[in-house]
Amino acid sequence: MSSRTAASWSAPSRVRAAYTPSKPSAVVGSSCCRACLAGAYEEAVGDDWYSAPALATSAAAPGVLVAGEREVSPATMAVYDVHTGTARRTAERWLPDAGDTQDLTFTTDGKNVILAGGSPYYHQMLRTSDLADAGRYPAAAYPNAVAVAADGAIAAGVDSNHGSDVFMFTPGTRVSHGVFEFASGDSSPLLLLLLPAGLGWAPDNRRLFAVTRETRQGAPVILRVLTTPGKAATGTVLHIPSTTPSGTRSLTGRLASDLPFPPGTTVTLTRLDPGAAQPVTLPPTTLDANGTFALIDRATARGYTTYTASFAGDALHLPSRTSIEVHIR
């Protein structure tokens, strides 16, 4: 017996900027004191690094330089004391599950550093003093940028060709409270991708800058100015056998989104019988821990029947719905 699946997805001004790519070089955090890196950079490059590492400093941790290995996996992280003209390594850690550091930045208190790299599929947070694990911010696959505002707000960016591009976190939480999703425009099938280390906060903490580029060859770099994070897109999927006998039948489906759904999230299912003007609302169904739902329905009217699954949306998710037509014989 064949089956039928239905799915649907519910889905800031632009400033153009010139950008000239350069040879691989160190990526320095926005709060970095460049003067203190002059001698430290030479020491770091010659200190068994595969390539120029990503670097970060913070006014909250004076004289401390953190370096992350790029273009290699697994990657090595190191902390240097740069109070003097010679960088002295004070901590080192080989990260077997992490690689290709794209960006790193300090938290506002200087006690931790947040990493963005090709793996793992979350933004790692390490303790500055000894590089021990200090937490994580689970955004999405392929982290490539991170920025921390003066008030502590964390913007975690990913290299994504579908779904959300930037996830917003409150310090210490594991659930994003809002997202930004880039798009070239309603009439264009092209995507905008966030470039590595392409996030930075304005001093007023009200604007987040994102450096992006379309996927087409030769496309210009576009500077996005982001203000208010939005809700995450939500997908509704419904599975029903395309042909089913009169009587009872199983309806299954799921909700999908970049942000998790809270416990008790419900999906509304309706059935429009052949020749009927109004649909019948079925008993509400609640998502399980995996975001799936299931319901048994009984219908005896023969002909083509339309089932619809709807999610009303919530504080973090956009609404979504999908319909599917089945033949009841």
Side-chain angles (χ1 to χ4, degrees), residues 86-255:
T86 301
R88 181 176 62 87
R89 184 176 290 198
T90 59
E92 179 181 355
R93 182 180 176 187
W94 184 68
L95 301 174
D97 298 325
D100 190 15
T101 305
Q102 300 286 305
D103 197 12
L104 69 164
T105 191
F106 281 82
T107 53
T108 52
D109 59 8
K111 295 180 179 180
N112 301 295
V113 63
I114 304 174
L115 314 181
S119 62
Y121 291 169
Y122 54 83
H123 288 65
Q124 294 177 279
M125 185 164 66
L126 306 178
R127 202 161 54 201
T128 306
S129 59
D130 56 5
L131 296 177
D133 291 334
R136 64 177 63 177
Y137 293 98
Y142 310 118
N144 70 343
V146 60
V148 176
D151 63 0
I154 298 161
V158 298
D159 181 5
S160 172
N161 57 13
H162 61 83
S164 303
D165 299 277
V166 181
F167 296 74
M168 302 302 300
F169 292 90
T170 300
T173 64
R174 286 200 177 190
V175 178
S176 172
H177 61 78
V179 297
F180 293 101
E181 183 172 345
F182 304 145
S184 295
D186 296 337
S187 61
S188 173
L190 298 174
L191 300 171
L192 280 180
L193 299 179
L194 178 67
L195 295 183
L199 292 176
W201 285 96
D204 61 8
N205 300 328
R206 297 179 180 178
R207 293 167 296 160
L208 176 66
F209 302 111
V211 183
T212 67
R213 173 180 279 155
E214 289 181 346
T215 53
R216 62 183 173 88
Q217 186 174 5
V221 167
I222 299 173
L223 177 65
R224 302 288 299 252
V225 182
L226 312 175
T227 53
T228 304
K231 298 181 179 182
T234 301
T236 305
V237 179
L238 183 60
H239 302 285
I240 308 173
S242 58
T243 301
T244 181
S246 176
T248 60
R249 65 195 50 82
S250 175
L251 315 177
T252 60
R254 62 184 174 86
L255 292 183

